[in-house]
Amino acid sequence: MINRELIEALDELEKEKEIDKEVIFTAIESALVSAYYNNHPKTDNVKATVSRETGEFSVFITKTVVEEVTNQYTEIDLDSAKKINKKVKIGDTVDIKVQSDDFSRVAATTGKNVIVQNIRQEEKRVIYDKYSGKAKDVITGIVEKADDKRYKVNLGKADAFLYTKDIIPGEKIKIGDRIKLYVTDVKIDEKSNAPRITVSRTHPELVKKLFEAEVAEIQQGIIEIKSVAREAGSRTKIAVCSNRKKIDPVGSCVGVNGARVAAVVDELNGEKIDIINWDENPAIFINNAMSPAKVVSVEAYTEEKTAEVVVPDNLLSLAIGKEGQNARLAAKLTGYKIDIKSESQKAEMDKAAEENGETEQEAETMVDAAVEESEE
């Protein structure tokens, strides 16, 4: 029976699961009306109320006062109406309370079913509301289960699935591990109508958010992360700048004795991180992005978003990086297509152009062809 125990149960639900009990009350009232309609002709003159203090319910049929009743479900004669309210007159309406032990039993069962159903729906809604606000942010979870395709991660009030494609290459995750995850998306699953939380350990924004958590100056808005380029499990380049001249953005992100960057590296399973100074001048920015290689010169073409970088002969391999990684990350970080040449290659190109009167592009082609031949 709907009574004081219901109030206590809903109070507990509201406290523990953040479910608004008013939603449940409203749903029960709607269900009581439906329960009445199951055994009576369907009209639009039935309403129900549940006391928020006692949990007791009442169902009423609203009838119009008439001289002669033609529809017993919607009308009541004046004499009968005056027994309910002495002041009524023809054309008024009166609420007649349903008195039925059978209906009370049906109502109690219906109320119980509605509570269960709506609690489930409200739990899903609360979870969605809670975690939809976490999209594009970092959360911490505990790994509970694993199979060949994914890990089930307990986030507290919900579960997320971390798929193997979103795990840092080479990373070994065990049951019980506490890991940090970047929430890429939160949406409602069409089949289960439950929240589906998509997470990643490989997303570039994870690195950005980890630095935001470690570096107080970023939280305060003194230092800004301008861009991030990442090849998860191997290397990340991050460009930073300071809004205050006296604050070194790179030093702040590295931290005393490298403590801040070390905390991020540890979380990313030892991934290497290059922190470089961002600059509004594209040539200077590209020069910085080529770190750890030293650059002789940079020619940046802003309209084409291309750049020519010249490095010492002995640093060409370092500038390009293993399998082209350093050059690739520098290009991603700056948004420029970068052409890297050694000093000798650049000199040969310039000499060929001068001697033969060819365009720089033609000379470049000749030099590149010569380099390829020598490598063969």
Side-chain angles (χ1 to χ4, degrees):
M1 195 71 178
I2 302 175
N3 52 27
R4 185 62 195 173
E5 293 179 3
L6 169 66
I7 305 296
E8 294 174 355
L10 294 184
D11 285 341
E12 195 68 21
L13 278 173
E14 192 168 50
K15 182 187 301 182
E16 290 188 358
K17 299 192 175 183
E18 300 177 16
I19 295 176
D20 185 358
K21 61 183 178 183
E22 184 59 32
V23 174
I24 306 298
F25 278 128
T26 302
I28 293 173
E29 289 170 344
S30 297
L32 290 173
V33 172
S34 297
Y36 180 86
Y37 285 152
N38 287 336
N39 297 301
H40 298 81
K42 294 188 177 182
T43 62
D44 58 359
N45 64 332
V46 179
K47 61 183 179 181
T49 61
V50 178
S51 171
R52 274 49 170 173
E53 287 74 35
T54 66
E56 297 299 325
F57 74 87
S58 299
V59 177
F60 299 92
I61 301 174
T62 302
K63 293 186 178 184
T64 303
V65 181
V66 296
E67 292 183 357
E68 184 177 350
V69 175
T70 58
N71 185 334
Q72 62 175 329
Y73 298 107
T74 61
E75 299 173 339
I76 185 173
D77 63 81
L78 183 59
D79 291 338
S80 299
K82 284 186 174 294
K83 293 178 181 178
I84 300 171
N85 183 354
K86 294 179 180 180
K87 296 182 179 180
V88 297
K89 56 184 181 297
I90 299 298
D92 289 346
T93 59
V94 293
D95 291 334
I96 304 169
K97 188 172 183 178
V98 175
Q99 301 287 350
S100 169
D101 291 338
D102 289 339
F103 177 70
S104 295
R105 286 192 291 271
V106 172
T109 301
T110 301
K112 179 181 178 181
N113 293 337
V114 169
I115 290 172
V116 173
Q117 181 180 354
N118 277 270
I119 284 174
R120 290 172 181 166
Q121 287 301 112
E122 275 297 288
E123 282 183 311
K124 294 176 182 179
R125 184 194 64 78
V126 168
I127 291 171
Y128 175 77
D129 289 348
K130 178 181 179 67
Y131 288 98
S132 61
K134 299 286 186 180
K136 315 305 179 188
D137 205 348
V138 171
I139 55 176
T140 301
I142 299 174
V143 180
E144 287 191 338
K145 293 181 180 179
D147 56 34
D148 293 337
K149 294 182 178 180
R150 63 187 186 180
Y151 291 85
K152 179 183 177 183
V153 184
N154 185 339
L155 304 178
K157 292 184 178 292
D159 293 324
F161 290 101
L162 175 65
Y163 289 86
T164 52
K165 66 181 180 65
D166 295 311
I167 295 173
I168 299 172
E171 183 175 36
K172 295 182 180 179
I173 298 176
K174 303 184 295 297
I175 304 299
D177 282 355
R178 181 181 292 272
I179 57 176
K180 291 183 179 179
L181 305 160
Y182 180 74
V183 181
T184 56
D185 192 25
V186 180
K187 59 184 178 181
I188 298 295
D189 186 271
E190 293 182 359
K191 292 183 178 180
S192 65
N193 200 35
R196 178 178 289 275
I197 304 170
T198 307
V199 295
S200 173
R201 292 271 295 162
T202 61
H203 201 287
E205 285 292 303
L206 174 61
V207 181
K208 181 178 180 180
K209 293 296 182 181
L210 291 175
F211 269 104
E212 287 178 356
E214 289 292 334
V215 182
E217 291 85 347
I218 296 177
Q219 299 168 22
Q220 296 163 3
I222 299 172
I223 292 175
E224 181 181 355
I225 298 175
K226 300 294 287 189
S227 61
V228 178
R230 185 185 186 198
E231 293 188 358
S234 180
R235 196 177 207 96
T236 289
K237 285 181 181 286
I238 180 170
V240 295
C241 69
S242 174
N243 296 322
R244 297 182 187 177
K245 292 183 179 180
K246 293 183 179 181
I247 302 295
D248 173 19
V250 174
S252 296
C253 290
V254 171
V256 179
N257 297 323
R260 288 173 168 177
V261 69
V264 177
V265 169
D266 288 345
E267 180 60 41
L268 298 178
N269 199 33
E271 188 172 311
K272 295 178 181 178
I273 298 177
D274 298 331
I275 306 172
I276 65 110
N277 280 304
W278 175 87
D279 198 286
E280 62 182 7
N281 184 320
I284 297 175
F285 184 23
I286 292 167
N287 178 83
N288 297 341
M290 294 305 302
S291 176
K294 301 296 182 182
V295 174
V296 174
S297 65
V298 177
E299 288 289 338
Y301 307 97
T302 55
E303 290 187 4
E304 297 86 355
K305 284 286 183 178
T306 61
E308 181 185 87
V309 174
V310 178
V311 299
D313 288 11
N314 64 334
L315 294 182
L316 181 59
S317 295
L318 181 64
I320 295 172
K322 186 178 181 182
E323 298 179 350
Q325 185 185 67
N326 193 60
R328 194 164 53 247
L329 287 174
K332 288 181 181 178
L333 191 72
T334 61
Y336 275 69
K337 182 179 180 181
I338 301 175
D339 182 19
I340 304 173
K341 292 181 175 63
S342 68
E343 285 184 286
S344 59
Q345 288 173 340
K346 174 64 173 172
E348 285 185 43
M349 186 184 72
D350 291 344
K351 182 179 179 182
E354 183 179 346
E355 291 178 351
N356 299 313
E358 295 160 332
T359 65
E360 184 175 338
Q361 184 175 358
E362 290 171 338
E364 179 179 353
T365 301
M366 292 177 60
V367 172
D368 287 345
V371 171
E372 288 179 3
E373 288 180 6
S374 65
E375 289 178 348
E376 291 177 359

